[in-house]
Coordinates of all heavy atoms in Angstrom, one line a residue:
M1 N 0.8 -1.2 0.0 CA 0.0 0.0 0.0 C 0.9 1.2 0.0 O 1.8 1.4 0.8 CB -0.9 -0.1 1.2 CG -2.0 1.0 1.3 SD -3.2 0.4 0.1 CE -4.4 1.7 0.3
L2 N 0.6 2.2 -0.9 CA 1.4 3.4 -1.0 C 0.9 4.4 0.0 O -0.3 4.6 0.2 CB 1.2 4.0 -2.4 CG 1.8 3.2 -3.5 CD1 1.4 3.7 -4.9 CD2 3.3 3.1 -3.4
T3 N 1.8 5.2 0.6 CA 1.5 6.3 1.4 C 1.2 7.5 0.5 O 1.5 7.5 -0.7 CB 2.6 6.7 2.4 OG1 3.7 7.1 1.6 CG2 3.1 5.5 3.2
S4 N 0.6 8.5 1.1 CA 0.3 9.7 0.3 C 1.6 10.4 -0.2 O 1.6 10.9 -1.3 CB -0.6 10.7 1.1 OG 0.1 11.1 2.2
K5 N 2.6 10.3 0.5 CA 3.9 10.9 0.1 C 4.5 10.1 -1.1 O 5.0 10.7 -2.0 CB 4.9 11.0 1.2 CG 4.7 12.1 2.2 CD 5.8 12.2 3.2 CE 5.5 13.4 4.2 NZ 6.6 13.6 5.1
Q6 N 4.4 8.8 -1.0 CA 4.9 8.0 -2.1 C 4.1 8.2 -3.3 O 4.7 8.3 -4.4 CB 4.9 6.5 -1.6 CG 5.9 6.1 -0.6 CD 5.7 4.7 -0.1 OE1 4.6 4.2 0.0 NE2 6.8 4.1 0.3
R7 N 2.8 8.3 -3.1 CA 1.9 8.5 -4.3 C 2.2 9.8 -4.9 O 2.2 10.0 -6.2 CB 0.5 8.5 -3.8 CG -0.6 8.3 -4.9 CD -1.9 8.1 -4.3 NE -2.1 6.9 -3.4 CZ -2.3 5.7 -3.8 NH1 -2.4 5.4 -5.1 NH2 -2.4 4.7 -3.0
A8 N 2.5 10.9 -4.1 CA 2.8 12.2 -4.7 C 4.1 12.1 -5.5 O 4.2 12.8 -6.5 CB 2.9 13.2 -3.5
V9 N 5.1 11.4 -5.0 CA 6.4 11.3 -5.7 C 6.2 10.6 -7.0 O 6.7 11.0 -8.1 CB 7.4 10.5 -4.8 CG1 8.6 10.1 -5.7 CG2 7.9 11.3 -3.6
L10 N 5.4 9.5 -7.0 CA 5.1 8.8 -8.3 C 4.3 9.6 -9.2 O 4.6 9.5 -10.5 CB 4.4 7.5 -7.9 CG 5.2 6.4 -7.2 CD1 4.3 5.3 -6.7 CD2 6.3 5.9 -8.0
R11 N 3.4 10.4 -8.8 CA 2.6 11.3 -9.6 C 3.5 12.3 -10.3 O 3.4 12.5 -11.5 CB 1.5 12.0 -8.9 CG 0.3 11.2 -8.6 CD -0.9 12.1 -8.2 NE -0.6 13.0 -7.1 CZ -0.9 12.8 -5.8 NH1 -1.4 11.6 -5.5 NH2 -0.6 13.6 -4.9
G12 N 4.5 12.8 -9.6 CA 5.4 13.8 -10.2 C 6.3 13.1 -11.2 O 6.6 13.7 -12.3
M13 N 6.7 11.9 -11.0 CA 7.5 11.1 -12.0 C 6.7 10.8 -13.2 O 7.2 10.9 -14.3 CB 8.0 9.8 -11.4 CG 9.0 10.0 -10.2 SD 9.4 8.5 -9.4 CE 10.5 7.8 -10.6
A14 N 5.4 10.6 -13.0 CA 4.5 10.2 -14.2 C 4.2 11.3 -15.1 O 3.8 11.2 -16.2 CB 3.3 9.5 -13.6
N15 N 4.3 12.6 -14.5 CA 4.0 13.8 -15.3 C 4.7 13.8 -16.7 O 4.1 14.2 -17.7 CB 4.2 15.0 -14.6 CG 3.1 15.4 -13.7 OD1 2.0 15.0 -13.8 ND2 3.4 16.2 -12.7
S16 N 6.0 13.5 -16.7 CA 6.8 13.6 -17.9 C 6.8 12.3 -18.7 O 7.4 12.3 -19.8 CB 8.2 14.0 -17.5 OG 8.8 13.0 -16.7
M17 N 6.1 11.3 -18.2 CA 6.1 10.0 -19.0 C 5.1 10.0 -20.1 O 4.1 10.7 -20.1 CB 5.7 8.9 -18.0 CG 6.6 8.6 -16.9 SD 6.0 7.3 -15.8 CE 5.8 5.9 -16.9
D18 N 5.5 9.2 -21.1 CA 4.6 9.1 -22.3 C 3.7 7.9 -22.0 O 4.0 7.0 -21.3 CB 5.4 8.8 -23.6 CG 6.2 10.0 -24.0 OD1 5.7 11.1 -23.8 OD2 7.2 9.8 -24.6
T19 N 2.5 7.9 -22.6 CA 1.5 6.8 -22.5 C 2.1 5.6 -23.3 O 2.5 5.8 -24.5 CB 0.2 7.2 -23.1 OG1 -0.3 8.4 -22.4 CG2 -0.8 6.1 -23.0
I20 N 2.2 4.4 -22.7 CA 2.7 3.3 -23.5 C 1.7 2.3 -24.0 O 2.0 1.6 -24.9 CB 3.8 2.6 -22.7 CG1 3.3 2.0 -21.4 CG2 5.0 3.5 -22.4 CD1 4.3 1.1 -20.7
F21 N 0.5 2.3 -23.4 CA -0.5 1.4 -23.8 C -1.9 2.1 -23.8 O -2.1 3.1 -23.1 CB -0.7 0.2 -22.9 CG 0.5 -0.7 -22.8 CD1 1.2 -1.0 -21.7 CD2 1.0 -1.4 -24.0 CE1 2.3 -1.8 -21.6 CE2 2.1 -2.2 -24.0 CZ 2.7 -2.4 -22.8
Q22 N -2.8 1.6 -24.7 CA -4.1 2.1 -24.8 C -5.1 1.0 -24.6 O -4.9 -0.1 -25.1 CB -4.3 2.8 -26.1 CG -3.5 4.0 -26.4 CD -3.7 4.6 -27.7 OE1 -4.4 4.1 -28.6 NE2 -3.2 5.8 -27.9
V23 N -6.2 1.3 -23.9 CA -7.3 0.4 -23.8 C -8.3 0.8 -24.9 O -8.9 1.9 -24.8 CB -8.0 0.4 -22.4 CG1 -9.2 -0.6 -22.3 CG2 -6.9 0.1 -21.3
G24 N -8.5 0.0 -25.9 CA -9.4 0.4 -27.0 C -10.7 -0.4 -27.0 O -11.1 -0.9 -26.0
K25 N -11.3 -0.6 -28.2 CA -12.6 -1.2 -28.3 C -12.5 -2.7 -28.0 O -13.5 -3.3 -27.7 CB -13.2 -1.0 -29.7 CG -12.4 -1.7 -30.8 CD -13.1 -1.4 -32.1 CE -12.4 -2.1 -33.3 NZ -13.0 -1.8 -34.5
G26 N -11.3 -3.3 -28.0 CA -11.1 -4.7 -27.6 C -11.2 -4.9 -26.1 O -11.2 -6.0 -25.6
G27 N -11.2 -3.8 -25.4 CA -11.2 -3.9 -23.9 C -9.9 -4.3 -23.3 O -8.9 -4.1 -23.9
I28 N -10.0 -4.9 -22.1 CA -8.9 -5.4 -21.4 C -8.7 -6.9 -21.7 O -9.3 -7.8 -21.1 CB -9.0 -5.2 -19.9 CG1 -9.1 -3.7 -19.7 CG2 -7.8 -5.8 -19.2 CD1 -9.4 -3.2 -18.3
S29 N -7.9 -7.2 -22.7 CA -7.6 -8.5 -23.2 C -6.5 -9.2 -22.4 O -5.7 -8.5 -21.7 CB -7.3 -8.5 -24.7 OG -6.1 -7.8 -24.9
D30 N -6.3 -10.5 -22.6 CA -5.2 -11.2 -21.9 C -3.9 -10.6 -22.4 O -2.9 -10.6 -21.7 CB -5.3 -12.7 -22.2 CG -6.5 -13.3 -21.5 OD1 -7.0 -12.8 -20.6 OD2 -6.9 -14.4 -22.0
T31 N -3.8 -10.3 -23.7 CA -2.6 -9.7 -24.3 C -2.2 -8.4 -23.6 O -1.1 -8.2 -23.2 CB -2.8 -9.5 -25.8 OG1 -3.2 -10.7 -26.4 CG2 -1.5 -9.0 -26.4
L32 N -3.2 -7.5 -23.4 CA -3.0 -6.2 -22.7 C -2.5 -6.5 -21.3 O -1.6 -5.8 -20.8 CB -4.2 -5.4 -22.7 CG -4.1 -4.0 -22.0 CD1 -3.0 -3.1 -22.7 CD2 -5.4 -3.3 -22.0
V33 N -3.1 -7.4 -20.6 CA -2.7 -7.7 -19.2 C -1.3 -8.2 -19.2 O -0.5 -7.8 -18.4 CB -3.6 -8.8 -18.6 CG1 -3.1 -9.2 -17.2 CG2 -5.1 -8.2 -18.4
A34 N -0.9 -9.1 -20.1 CA 0.5 -9.6 -20.2 C 1.5 -8.5 -20.5 O 2.6 -8.5 -19.9 CB 0.5 -10.7 -21.2
Q35 N 1.1 -7.7 -21.5 CA 2.0 -6.6 -21.8 C 2.2 -5.6 -20.7 O 3.3 -5.1 -20.4 CB 1.5 -5.8 -23.1 CG 1.6 -6.6 -24.3 CD 0.9 -5.9 -25.5 OE1 0.0 -5.1 -25.3 NE2 1.4 -6.2 -26.7
T36 N 1.1 -5.3 -20.0 CA 1.2 -4.4 -18.8 C 2.0 -5.0 -17.7 O 2.8 -4.3 -17.1 CB -0.3 -4.1 -18.3 OG1 -1.0 -3.6 -19.4 CG2 -0.3 -3.2 -17.1
D37 N 1.9 -6.3 -17.5 CA 2.6 -7.0 -16.5 C 4.1 -6.9 -16.8 O 5.0 -6.6 -15.9 CB 2.2 -8.5 -16.4 CG 2.8 -9.2 -15.2 OD1 2.6 -8.7 -14.1 OD2 3.4 -10.2 -15.4
D38 N 4.5 -7.2 -18.1 CA 5.9 -7.1 -18.5 C 6.4 -5.7 -18.3 O 7.6 -5.5 -17.9 CB 6.0 -7.5 -20.0 CG 5.8 -9.0 -20.2 OD1 5.9 -9.8 -19.2 OD2 5.6 -9.4 -21.3
A39 N 5.7 -4.7 -18.7 CA 6.1 -3.3 -18.6 C 6.3 -2.9 -17.1 O 7.2 -2.2 -16.8 CB 5.1 -2.3 -19.3
L40 N 5.4 -3.4 -16.3 CA 5.5 -3.1 -14.8 C 6.8 -3.7 -14.3 O 7.5 -3.1 -13.4 CB 4.3 -3.5 -14.1 CG 3.1 -2.7 -14.2 CD1 1.8 -3.4 -13.7 CD2 3.2 -1.3 -13.5
R41 N 7.1 -4.9 -14.7 CA 8.3 -5.6 -14.2 C 9.5 -4.8 -14.6 O 10.5 -4.7 -13.8 CB 8.3 -7.0 -14.8 CG 9.4 -7.9 -14.2 CD 9.4 -9.3 -14.8 NE 8.2 -10.0 -14.6 CZ 7.3 -10.3 -15.6 NH1 7.6 -10.1 -16.8 NH2 6.2 -10.9 -15.3
A42 N 9.5 -4.3 -15.8 CA 10.7 -3.6 -16.3 C 10.8 -2.1 -15.8 O 11.9 -1.7 -15.5 CB 10.7 -3.6 -17.9
R43 N 9.7 -1.4 -15.7 CA 9.7 0.0 -15.4 C 9.1 0.4 -14.1 O 9.4 1.5 -13.6 CB 8.9 0.8 -16.5 CG 9.3 0.6 -17.9 CD 8.4 1.3 -18.8 NE 8.8 1.1 -20.2 CZ 8.5 1.9 -21.2 NH1 7.8 3.0 -20.9 NH2 8.8 1.6 -22.4
E44 N 8.3 -0.4 -13.5 CA 7.6 -0.2 -12.2 C 6.5 0.8 -12.3 O 5.5 0.7 -11.6 CB 8.6 0.1 -11.1 CG 9.5 -0.9 -10.7 CD 10.4 -0.6 -9.5 OE1 10.6 0.6 -9.3 OE2 10.8 -1.6 -8.9
L45 N 6.6 1.8 -13.1 CA 5.7 2.9 -13.2 C 5.3 3.1 -14.7 O 6.2 3.4 -15.5 CB 6.2 4.2 -12.6 CG 5.3 5.4 -12.5 CD1 4.3 5.1 -11.4 CD2 6.1 6.7 -12.2
I46 N 4.0 3.0 -15.0 CA 3.6 3.1 -16.4 C 2.3 3.9 -16.5 O 1.5 4.0 -15.6 CB 3.4 1.8 -17.1 CG1 2.3 0.9 -16.4 CG2 4.7 1.0 -17.2 CD1 1.9 -0.3 -17.2
K47 N 2.2 4.6 -17.7 CA 1.0 5.4 -17.9 C 0.2 4.8 -19.1 O 0.8 4.4 -20.1 CB 1.4 6.8 -18.3 CG 0.2 7.8 -18.4 CD 0.7 9.2 -18.9 CE 1.4 10.0 -17.8 NZ 1.6 11.4 -18.3
L48 N -1.1 4.7 -18.9 CA -2.0 4.1 -19.9 C -3.1 5.1 -20.2 O -3.4 6.0 -19.5 CB -2.6 2.8 -19.4 CG -1.5 1.7 -19.1 CD1 -1.2 1.7 -17.7 CD2 -2.1 0.4 -19.5
R49 N -3.8 4.8 -21.4 CA -4.9 5.7 -21.8 C -6.1 4.8 -22.2 O -5.9 3.8 -22.8 CB -4.4 6.5 -23.0 CG -5.4 7.4 -23.6 CD -4.8 8.3 -24.6 NE -5.9 9.1 -25.2 CZ -6.1 9.3 -26.5 NH1 -5.2 8.7 -27.4 NH2 -7.1 10.0 -26.9
V50 N -7.3 5.3 -21.9 CA -8.5 4.7 -22.3 C -9.1 5.4 -23.5 O -9.4 6.6 -23.3 CB -9.5 4.6 -21.1 CG1 -10.8 3.9 -21.6 CG2 -8.8 3.8 -20.0
L51 N -9.3 4.8 -24.6 CA -10.0 5.4 -25.7 C -11.5 5.5 -25.5 O -12.1 4.7 -24.8 CB -9.7 4.6 -27.0 CG -8.2 4.5 -27.4 CD1 -8.0 3.7 -28.6 CD2 -7.5 5.9 -27.6
E52 N -12.1 6.4 -26.1 CA -13.6 6.6 -26.0 C -14.4 5.4 -26.4 O -15.4 5.2 -25.8 CB -14.0 7.9 -26.8 CG -13.5 9.2 -26.2 CD -14.0 10.4 -27.0 OE1 -15.0 10.2 -27.7 OE2 -13.4 11.4 -26.9
N53 N -13.9 4.7 -27.3 CA -14.7 3.5 -27.8 C -14.5 2.3 -27.0 O -15.0 1.2 -27.4 CB -14.5 3.3 -29.3 CG -13.0 2.9 -29.6 OD1 -12.2 2.9 -28.7 ND2 -12.7 2.6 -30.8
S54 N -13.8 2.3 -25.9 CA -13.5 1.1 -25.2 C -14.6 0.6 -24.3 O -14.6 -0.6 -24.0 CB -12.3 1.4 -24.3 OG -12.6 2.1 -23.1
G55 N -15.5 1.4 -23.9 CA -16.6 1.0 -23.0 C -16.2 1.0 -21.6 O -17.0 0.6 -20.7
Y56 N -15.0 1.4 -21.3 CA -14.5 1.5 -19.9 C -14.3 3.0 -19.5 O -13.9 3.8 -20.4 CB -13.2 0.8 -19.7 CG -13.2 -0.6 -19.7 CD1 -13.0 -1.4 -20.9 CD2 -13.4 -1.4 -18.5 CE1 -13.0 -2.7 -20.9 CE2 -13.4 -2.7 -18.5 CZ -13.2 -3.4 -19.7 OH -13.2 -4.8 -19.7
T57 N -14.5 3.3 -18.3 CA -14.0 4.6 -17.8 C -12.5 4.4 -17.4 O -12.1 3.2 -17.3 CB -14.8 5.2 -16.6 OG1 -14.5 4.3 -15.5 CG2 -16.2 5.3 -16.8
A58 N -11.8 5.5 -17.3 CA -10.4 5.3 -16.9 C -10.2 4.7 -15.5 O -9.4 3.8 -15.3 CB -9.7 6.7 -16.9
R59 N -11.1 5.0 -14.6 CA -11.1 4.4 -13.3 C -11.4 2.9 -13.3 O -10.7 2.1 -12.7 CB -12.1 5.1 -12.4 CG -12.3 4.6 -11.0 CD -11.2 4.6 -10.1 NE -10.8 6.0 -9.8 CZ -9.6 6.3 -9.1 NH1 -8.8 5.3 -8.7 NH2 -9.3 7.5 -8.9
E60 N -12.4 2.5 -14.1 CA -12.7 1.1 -14.2 C -11.5 0.3 -14.8 O -11.2 -0.8 -14.3 CB -13.9 0.9 -15.1 CG -15.2 1.4 -14.5 CD -16.4 1.4 -15.5 OE1 -16.1 1.4 -16.7 OE2 -17.5 1.6 -15.1
A61 N -11.0 0.8 -15.9 CA -9.9 0.1 -16.5 C -8.7 0.1 -15.6 O -8.0 -1.0 -15.5 CB -9.5 0.9 -17.8
A62 N -8.4 1.2 -14.9 CA -7.2 1.2 -14.0 C -7.4 0.2 -12.9 O -6.5 -0.6 -12.6 CB -7.1 2.6 -13.4
E63 N -8.6 0.1 -12.3 CA -8.8 -0.8 -11.2 C -8.8 -2.3 -11.6 O -8.2 -3.1 -11.0 CB -10.1 -0.5 -10.5 CG -10.0 0.8 -9.7 CD -11.4 1.2 -9.1 OE1 -12.4 0.5 -9.3 OE2 -11.4 2.2 -8.4
Q64 N -9.3 -2.5 -12.8 CA -9.3 -3.9 -13.3 C -7.9 -4.3 -13.7 O -7.5 -5.5 -13.3 CB -10.2 -4.0 -14.5 CG -10.4 -5.5 -15.0 CD -11.4 -5.6 -16.1 OE1 -12.2 -4.8 -16.3 NE2 -11.3 -6.8 -16.8
L65 N -7.1 -3.5 -14.3 CA -5.7 -3.8 -14.7 C -4.9 -4.0 -13.4 O -4.0 -4.9 -13.4 CB -5.1 -2.8 -15.6 CG -5.3 -3.1 -17.1 CD1 -4.8 -1.9 -18.0 CD2 -4.6 -4.3 -17.5
A66 N -5.1 -3.1 -12.5 CA -4.3 -3.2 -11.2 C -4.6 -4.5 -10.5 O -3.6 -5.2 -10.0 CB -4.6 -2.0 -10.3
E67 N -5.8 -4.9 -10.5 CA -6.2 -6.2 -9.8 C -5.5 -7.4 -10.6 O -5.0 -8.3 -9.9 CB -7.7 -6.3 -9.8 CG -8.2 -7.6 -9.1 CD -9.7 -7.7 -9.1 OE1 -10.3 -6.7 -8.9 OE2 -10.2 -8.8 -9.3
Q68 N -5.6 -7.3 -11.9 CA -5.1 -8.5 -12.7 C -3.5 -8.5 -12.7 O -3.0 -9.6 -13.0 CB -5.6 -8.4 -14.1 CG -7.1 -8.7 -14.1 CD -7.7 -8.7 -15.6 OE1 -6.9 -8.7 -16.5 NE2 -9.0 -8.8 -15.7
T69 N -2.9 -7.4 -12.5 CA -1.4 -7.4 -12.5 C -0.8 -7.3 -11.1 O 0.5 -7.3 -11.0 CB -0.9 -6.2 -13.4 OG1 -1.3 -5.0 -12.9 CG2 -1.3 -6.4 -14.8
G70 N -1.6 -7.1 -10.1 CA -1.0 -7.0 -8.8 C -0.3 -5.7 -8.5 O 0.6 -5.6 -7.7
S71 N -0.8 -4.6 -9.2 CA -0.2 -3.3 -9.1 C -1.2 -2.4 -8.4 O -2.2 -2.8 -7.9 CB 0.1 -2.7 -10.5 OG -1.1 -2.6 -11.3
E72 N -0.7 -1.1 -8.2 CA -1.6 -0.1 -7.5 C -1.9 1.0 -8.5 O -1.0 1.4 -9.2 CB -0.9 0.4 -6.3 CG -0.7 -0.7 -5.2 CD -0.2 -0.1 -3.9 OE1 -0.9 0.9 -3.4 OE2 0.8 -0.5 -3.4
V73 N -3.0 1.6 -8.3 CA -3.4 2.8 -9.1 C -2.8 4.0 -8.4 O -3.1 4.2 -7.3 CB -4.9 2.9 -9.2 CG1 -5.3 4.2 -10.0 CG2 -5.6 1.7 -9.9
V74 N -2.0 4.7 -9.1 CA -1.4 5.9 -8.6 C -2.3 7.1 -8.8 O -2.5 7.9 -7.8 CB 0.0 6.2 -9.2 CG1 0.6 7.5 -8.7 CG2 1.0 5.0 -8.9
Q75 N -2.8 7.3 -10.0 CA -3.7 8.4 -10.2 C -4.5 8.1 -11.5 O -4.1 7.3 -12.4 CB -2.9 9.7 -10.3 CG -2.4 10.0 -11.7 CD -1.6 11.3 -11.7 OE1 -0.5 11.4 -11.2 NE2 -2.2 12.4 -12.3
V76 N -5.6 8.7 -11.6 CA -6.5 8.7 -12.7 C -6.9 10.1 -13.0 O -7.4 10.8 -12.2 CB -7.8 7.9 -12.5 CG1 -8.7 7.9 -13.7 CG2 -7.4 6.5 -12.1
I77 N -6.5 10.6 -14.2 CA -6.9 12.0 -14.7 C -7.5 11.9 -16.1 O -6.8 11.4 -17.0 CB -5.7 12.9 -14.7 CG1 -5.2 13.1 -13.2 CG2 -6.0 14.2 -15.3 CD1 -4.0 14.0 -13.1
G78 N -8.7 12.3 -16.2 CA -9.3 12.2 -17.6 C -9.4 10.8 -18.1 O -9.9 9.9 -17.5
S79 N -8.8 10.6 -19.3 CA -8.7 9.3 -19.9 C -7.4 8.6 -19.6 O -7.2 7.5 -20.2 CB -8.9 9.4 -21.4 OG -7.9 10.1 -22.0
R80 N -6.6 9.1 -18.8 CA -5.3 8.5 -18.5 C -5.2 8.0 -17.1 O -5.8 8.6 -16.2 CB -4.1 9.5 -18.8 CG -4.1 9.9 -20.3 CD -3.0 10.9 -20.6 NE -3.2 11.6 -21.8 CZ -2.9 11.1 -23.0 NH1 -2.3 9.9 -23.1 NH2 -3.1 11.7 -24.1
F81 N -4.4 7.0 -16.9 CA -4.1 6.5 -15.5 C -2.7 6.0 -15.4 O -2.1 5.7 -16.4 CB -5.2 5.5 -15.1 CG -5.2 4.2 -15.9 CD1 -4.6 3.1 -15.5 CD2 -6.0 4.2 -17.1 CE1 -4.6 1.9 -16.3 CE2 -6.1 3.0 -17.8 CZ -5.4 1.9 -17.4
V82 N -2.2 5.9 -14.2 CA -0.9 5.5 -13.9 C -0.9 4.3 -12.9 O -1.6 4.4 -11.9 CB -0.1 6.7 -13.3 CG1 1.4 6.2 -12.9 CG2 0.0 7.9 -14.2
L83 N -0.1 3.3 -13.2 CA 0.0 2.1 -12.4 C 1.4 2.0 -11.9 O 2.4 2.3 -12.6 CB -0.4 0.8 -13.2 CG -1.8 0.7 -13.7 CD1 -2.0 -0.6 -14.5 CD2 -2.8 0.8 -12.6
Y84 N 1.5 1.4 -10.7 CA 2.9 1.2 -10.1 C 2.9 -0.2 -9.4 O 1.9 -0.6 -8.8 CB 3.1 2.2 -9.0 CG 4.4 1.9 -8.2 CD1 5.7 2.1 -8.7 CD2 4.3 1.4 -6.9 CE1 6.8 1.9 -7.9 CE2 5.4 1.1 -6.2 CZ 6.7 1.3 -6.7 OH 7.8 1.0 -6.0
R85 N 4.0 -0.9 -9.7 CA 4.2 -2.2 -9.0 C 5.7 -2.3 -8.8 O 6.5 -2.2 -9.7 CB 3.7 -3.4 -9.8 CG 3.9 -4.7 -9.0 CD 3.4 -5.9 -9.7 NE 4.3 -6.1 -10.8 CZ 4.1 -6.9 -11.9 NH1 2.9 -7.4 -12.1 NH2 4.9 -7.1 -12.8
R86 N 6.1 -2.5 -7.5 CA 7.6 -2.6 -7.2 C 8.1 -3.9 -7.7 O 7.5 -4.9 -7.6 CB 7.8 -2.5 -5.7 CG 9.2 -2.4 -5.3 CD 9.3 -2.0 -3.8 NE 10.6 -1.4 -3.5 CZ 11.6 -2.1 -3.2 NH1 11.6 -3.4 -3.3 NH2 12.8 -1.6 -2.9
N87 N 9.3 -3.8 -8.3 CA 10.0 -5.0 -8.8 C 10.9 -5.5 -7.6 O 11.8 -4.8 -7.2 CB 10.9 -4.8 -10.0 CG 11.5 -6.0 -10.6 OD1 11.8 -6.9 -9.8 ND2 11.8 -6.0 -11.8
L88 N 10.5 -6.6 -7.0 CA 11.3 -7.0 -5.8 C 12.7 -7.5 -6.1 O 13.6 -7.3 -5.2 CB 10.5 -8.2 -5.1 CG 9.1 -7.8 -4.6 CD1 8.4 -9.0 -4.1 CD2 9.1 -6.7 -3.6
K89 N 13.0 -8.0 -7.3 CA 14.3 -8.5 -7.6 C 15.2 -7.3 -8.0 O 16.4 -7.3 -7.6 CB 14.2 -9.5 -8.7 CG 13.6 -10.8 -8.3 CD 13.5 -11.8 -9.4 CE 12.8 -13.0 -8.9 NZ 12.6 -14.0 -10.0
K90 N 14.8 -6.4 -8.9 CA 15.6 -5.3 -9.4 C 14.8 -4.0 -9.3 O 14.2 -3.6 -10.3 CB 16.0 -5.6 -10.8 CG 16.9 -6.8 -11.0 CD 17.3 -6.9 -12.4 CE 18.3 -8.1 -12.7 NZ 18.6 -8.2 -14.1
P91 N 14.7 -3.4 -8.1 CA 13.9 -2.2 -8.0 C 14.5 -1.1 -8.9 O 15.7 -0.9 -8.9 CB 14.0 -1.8 -6.5 CG 14.5 -3.0 -5.8 CD 15.2 -3.8 -6.8
V92 N 13.6 -0.4 -9.6 CA 14.0 0.7 -10.4 C 13.8 2.1 -9.7 O 14.6 3.0 -9.8 CB 13.2 0.7 -11.7 CG1 13.6 1.9 -12.6 CG2 13.4 -0.6 -12.5
I93 N 12.7 2.2 -9.0 CA 12.3 3.4 -8.3 C 12.5 3.2 -6.8 O 12.1 2.2 -6.2 CB 10.9 3.8 -8.6 CG1 10.7 4.0 -10.1 CG2 10.5 5.0 -7.8 CD1 9.2 4.1 -10.5
D94 N 13.3 4.2 -6.2 CA 13.5 4.1 -4.8 C 12.5 4.9 -4.0 O 12.6 6.2 -4.0 CB 15.0 4.6 -4.5 CG 15.3 4.4 -3.0 OD1 14.8 3.5 -2.3 OD2 16.2 5.1 -2.6
L95 N 11.5 4.3 -3.4 CA 10.5 5.0 -2.6 C 10.9 4.8 -1.1 O 11.0 3.7 -0.7 CB 9.1 4.5 -2.8 CG 8.5 4.8 -4.2 CD1 7.1 4.2 -4.3 CD2 8.4 6.3 -4.4
K96 N 11.0 5.9 -0.4 CA 11.3 5.8 1.0 C 10.2 6.3 1.9 O 9.4 7.1 1.5 CB 12.6 6.5 1.3 CG 13.8 5.8 0.7 CD 15.1 6.5 1.1 CE 16.2 5.7 0.4 NZ 17.5 6.2 0.7

């Protein structure tokens, strides 16, 4: 569970990040979950976007992907959301 200070640090880091995945009309497929899982393992912090034709709100997509990948929702703004999962073997981001 992230503290509010840790969440604030992660939000600041996510501001300059590019969106790497989109949830489209295909919804949240097994492929998207696998790609998100791989990206979280490598980067720990990723930004995603929900397209209008997906049938999901950003909050719904964020919570569903977080549950399926074992990550945490850092923030949801408009159609974009940020997920975080610490890599226990090779941490990339140092949160104190």
